[in-house]
Amino acid sequence: MGPCCSALHCLSLLVLAAVLAAALAQGALPAFLPCELQPHGLVNCNWLFLKAVPHFSAAAPRENITGLSLLSNRIHHLHDSDFAHLSSLRDLNLKWNCPPASLSPMHFPCHMTIEPNTFLAVPTLEVLNLSYNGISTVPALPSSLVSLSLSHTHILALDPPALMGLHALRVLYMDGNCYYKNPCSHAVRVAPGALLGLGNLTHLSLKYNNLTAVPRSLPPGLQTLLLSYNRIITLAPEDLANLAALRVLDVGGNCRRCDHARNPCVECPRGFPQLHPDTFSRLSHLEGLVLKDNSLHCLSSQWFWGLDNLRVLDLSENFLYDCITRTKAFRRLAQLRQLNLSFNYHKRVSFAHLQLAPSFRSLRSLQKLDMHGIFFRSLSETTLQPLAHLPTLHTLSLQMNFISQAQLSIFGAFPGLRVVDLSDNRISGAAEPLAATGELDRGHELWLPPRNLTPGPRDSPCSEDFMPSCRTLSFTLDLSRNNLVAVQPEMFARLSRLQCLRLSYNSISQAVNGSQFVPLTSLRVLDLSHNKLDLYHGRSFTELPRLEALDLSYNSQPFSMQGVGHNLSFVAQLPALRYLSLAHNDIHSRVSQQLRSASLRALDFSGNALSQMWAEGDLYLRFFHGLRSLVRLDLSQNRLHTLLPRTLDNLPKSLQLLRLRDNYLAFFNWSGLALLPKLEALDLAGNQLKALSNGSLPGGTQLQRLDLSGNSIGFVDPGFFALATRLRELNLSANALKTVEPSWFGSLAGTLKILDVSANPLHCACGAGFVDFLLEVQAAVPGLPSHVKCGSPGQLQGRSIFAQDLRLCLDEALSWGCFGLSLMAVALGLAVPVLYHLCGWDLWYCSHLCLAWLPQRGRRRGADALLYDAFVVFDKSQSAVADWVYNELRVRLEEQRGRRVLRLCLEERDWLPGKTLFENLWASIYCSRKTLFVLARTDRVSGLLRASFLLAQQRLLEDRKDVVVLVILCPDAHRSRYVRLRQRLCRQSVLLWPHQPSGQRGFWAQLGMALTMDNSHFYNRNFCQGPTMAE
């Protein structure tokens, strides 16, 4: 290894580098590796586990970077030069890089080091996020900064020098620096006048900091002040005296009610909070006020004097259950638009009735009222009477009040009401007339833990392609998650203008017959999911002439009842129906043979058993054929194993979207897409496709979106996608692809807008062609720099496809070959001398022993090339037996078996003259696969028969091969003990000649099997395991 070898090594690396550069010349590498360039100049480096700020190459357009996000990395040290090359940087996100120990998932201590000129080197910086980092002081910042976030750090003090010179700063967040998740030695201290120099500051957030008083001398131009969840239990006029421009004030959670807390809580001291009547009197521009979770028992009218512009008031999670029935505090809030009174319940007590105070009538501009969690059991006309004539009220939330009796007709008197939410109550039917109101029933105690006093999760939003939302409709009533067992028409009296009704998650089990929703003549959307509806009548829902969307999903119980039929003919009688969901009902049999509708455009039939329905011959073959206007069809999770062309042919020709997700499809007939001439989107995600090799996408198809993600596709035929010229979005993620070839697409590659190949085990060998191709179409590949990763070789597994090292660009096969040869040479070089020294004589002896054994072994193996299939032994003195052998056995086995002819060895024909009888006998037995004994009787055997039998037994002992097959021509003759024993152990090797012609055909079949198969397969396993074949 001299200078020449070193020079050759360097030269080889240069050659490899040149080859790699030439290979990548066709497509330029992404400019900001390992990060991803997103629209508007944002470079996304989130979740890349970076330990340092990436320095992008000079060839990259660094001057175009306006935003850099380094969220959730592992950067613990910021240098002066890290951002100096980004001359146009305005937005920098460094959140979650070095979190404090208490906020770290593994509670590892971390301290972030920031050098003095790190941010001063970026004079254009406007937005900086340093939240969730272990910093204890405010770093030096450029004067251009407009927004600064220092939340969840170790900064416990704000002094005038800390923010000096930030005259452009408008937004400052410093939340969560001292609370139960981020404990500290003392509360956050804001020195008087520390923020007074920030003349343009309009938004200040100091939540979760254990503050005991409002910071003094705040900038007078402040418009938003958030001080929630501190420990400020006293508010006086001087606390907010100079904040005349304030528009939003949040002082919630400072004196908490802990029976409803979901996190560690300190009870509010008795007699607190103390709010001076003139606390807010000087805030004439205030538009939003948050007093939630402050243990308020009453409301003072003086608090709201002068707040003529107040739009939003949050009074939730207090003790105002009595106050809201008699307060006069709302008389001066004529401009209030949103009022939150939720969870103002009495501990362990529910109201029998509730009647709002008359002062609610003064809220003439009120648009949204939230009253959930107050706990009253009856909803009557008097409950909401003060709200009835509010002209702008459009949203009323009454969920989770344990209401059991509700007069729903009262909402017909509200002129502008658009949404009424009564979900998560106990309504079971129409309410009875009430005799009295305003009564407090203290006998009904609620022993509920605080964590149960929050609304349950709402339904997961489904795609509006298959079920529209009610957001745009004029009146929506939500009765989901109640105790309804049956629907009665009188429930909806005076609600004729209702357009959306949600009844999901109840226990409705009645058979709907067209009379339940008679008053709802304007209803357009009806949600009956998660119930137990019985669809028996053919006129179900026909009383709803304007019904456009009907959700009957998750009503599987009636469909699982064996022997009960279900009638879906009502669909044809709904002239305006456009959306129908029958999803997750496990529909499999005894339903209408065909769905018919001239108006239906979207049908969700996922989560059923369509495979079982289509397995019933042609009974349900045309199940969807009658939906003449159907555009979207979801057949996901229907346990489909195959989709035949005739099945596709019976789907509506108007289909544009077909979903077949999460089935068991291992094969798809792609040419069948020609049967759906208008199909634009096909979803086959989550199936079991292993290759795209049976044909290709047909030419002329209108397919624009194809989702094949979540399969096991490992091979794609060349030109598979080439003929689908309209294809624009292709999802091949989460498959088993090791490469992506341009030959799959042809000229289509340049027109693709989305090509998703993430989560595939790509083989990143040197010279992999897919790298060039993906670079050519990189604009269409989402997450190319960070989410398209290698699956092999092992050194690159889980890394970006652009992380390939030049040292790995060697001939892999040659490397493995050289490694194997060198390993073998070293092993032999070590093993041979050691073995010779330790056991040389033993090895010499064993080698000679093996040489002596090999010829015999060779001869024995040569004997496997047998000349005959069977050696036939019989008594020639018995003419009947000889005649049967020559004229029956020989003819059948040698002349009439066609290609399965057997070779027989006969004494008079095949023995060689000149050899002794014993030599011929020995050769015949050892050169035949089986020895066939043809006997008239078995009690007396002698002569040649006996000698042949002894030699066959000797072969059994030597070679461990049982070759004996017995044919007895007289079944009625006495049988020896040996024959009876053999019949018990190996019955198929003892055959009896049948005298009836009908049984002779089976005899020859059994004999052919006995002569061609090893006897070890015939042994009765209950008695023995047969002879073991010799190795």
Side-chain angles (χ1 to χ4, degrees), residues 34 47-49 759-764 784-804:
W47 292 98
L48 295 180
F49 304 102
N760 277 286
L762 298 173
H763 183 60
C764 299
L784 177 60
S786 55
H787 293 93
V788 181
K789 300 182 179 180
C790 301
S792 60
Q795 301 93 327
L796 294 174
Q797 186 173 7
R799 300 178 63 187
S800 169
I801 60 173
F802 302 112
Q804 188 168 348

Side-chain angles (χ1 to χ4, degrees), residues 15 75 105 120 210 226 314 319 409 428 550 604 606 617-618 657 682 817 828 850 858 862 888 890 969 1014:
V15 171
I75 302 172
L120 294 178
N210 274 337
L226 308 180
D314 189 347
F319 296 98
S409 59
S428 57
L550 177 59
D604 188 349
S606 59
D618 294 339
L657 168 63
L682 176 61
L828 289 175
C850 292
E888 191 74 29
R890 184 190 62 80
L969 298 180
D1014 198 321

Side-chain angles (χ1 to χ4, degrees), residues 729-999:
E729 299 178 14
L730 176 60
N731 191 344
L732 291 170
S733 62
N735 278 285
L737 294 173
K738 294 186 178 296
T739 184
V740 182
E741 298 292 340
S743 61
W744 301 350
F745 307 95
S747 59
L748 176 68
T751 61
L752 285 175
K753 294 182 179 179
I754 296 179
L755 174 59
D756 193 345
V757 292
S758 59
N760 277 286
L762 298 173
H763 183 60
C764 299
C766 188
F770 68 85
V771 177
D772 298 336
F773 173 67
L774 292 181
L775 288 174
E776 291 177 11
V777 297
Q778 59 180 293
V781 184
L784 177 60
S786 55
H787 293 93
V788 181
K789 300 182 179 180
C790 301
S792 60
Q795 301 93 327
L796 294 174
Q797 186 173 7
R799 300 178 63 187
S800 169
I801 60 173
F802 302 112
Q804 188 168 348
D805 195 317
L806 284 177
R807 291 170 294 179
L808 297 176
C809 287
L810 302 173
D811 191 329
E812 191 172 343
L814 179 60
S815 301
W816 279 108
C818 294
F819 171 75
L821 290 175
S822 60
L823 180 63
M824 184 181 299
V826 171
L828 289 175
L830 292 175
V832 171
V834 171
L835 291 176
Y836 179 79
H837 178 72
L838 294 178
C839 46
W841 188 90
D842 298 314
L843 293 174
W844 176 83
Y845 178 80
C846 291
S847 63
H848 281 74
L849 186 63
C850 292
L851 289 175
W853 178 73
L854 282 176
Q856 180 180 357
R857 183 69 173 175
R859 289 193 300 269
R860 179 170 295 182
R861 288 182 178 175
D864 289 341
L866 301 175
L867 296 176
Y868 303 103
D869 291 298
F871 170 46
V872 183
V873 187
F874 59 95
D875 190 353
K876 294 185 292 182
S877 61
Q878 298 181 10
S879 58
V881 175
D883 179 70
W884 186 84
V885 169
Y886 291 133
N887 298 320
E888 191 74 29
L889 178 68
R890 184 190 62 80
V891 172
R892 285 280 187 175
L893 298 183
E894 289 189 342
E895 298 179 4
Q896 296 183 3
R897 284 178 60 91
R899 291 181 298 175
R900 298 177 299 151
V901 63
L902 297 177
R903 296 166 299 171
L904 301 180
C905 178
L906 300 174
E907 175 186 349
E908 295 185 349
R909 184 187 67 181
D910 298 314
W911 279 16
L912 295 177
K915 286 190 176 182
T916 63
L917 183 143
F918 186 78
E919 287 177 337
N920 275 308
L921 184 60
W922 189 92
S924 299
I925 291 176
Y926 277 89
C927 292
S928 301
R929 181 178 289 110
K930 295 292 182 68
T931 301
L932 177 62
F933 293 90
V934 181
L935 307 172
R937 59 183 69 247
T938 62
D939 49 350
R940 293 187 300 274
V941 177
S942 60
L944 185 62
L945 285 171
R946 184 176 182 82
S948 301
F949 178 76
L950 292 177
L951 277 177
Q953 293 298 99
Q954 182 179 344
R955 186 177 178 185
L956 174 62
L957 297 176
E958 290 182 351
D959 296 344
R960 301 182 66 86
K961 288 184 179 180
D962 184 6
V963 298
V964 175
V965 177
L966 301 178
V967 173
I968 304 174
L969 298 180
C970 299
D972 300 332
H974 176 71
R975 301 174 198 168
S976 65
R977 284 182 296 177
Y978 171 78
V979 174
R980 294 199 301 271
L981 178 61
R982 190 169 187 85
Q983 281 183 306
R984 180 64 60 91
L985 298 180
C986 187
R987 178 175 297 274
Q988 284 87 341
S989 66
V990 180
L991 305 176
L992 305 178
W993 171 251
H995 291 294
Q996 297 295 332
S998 59

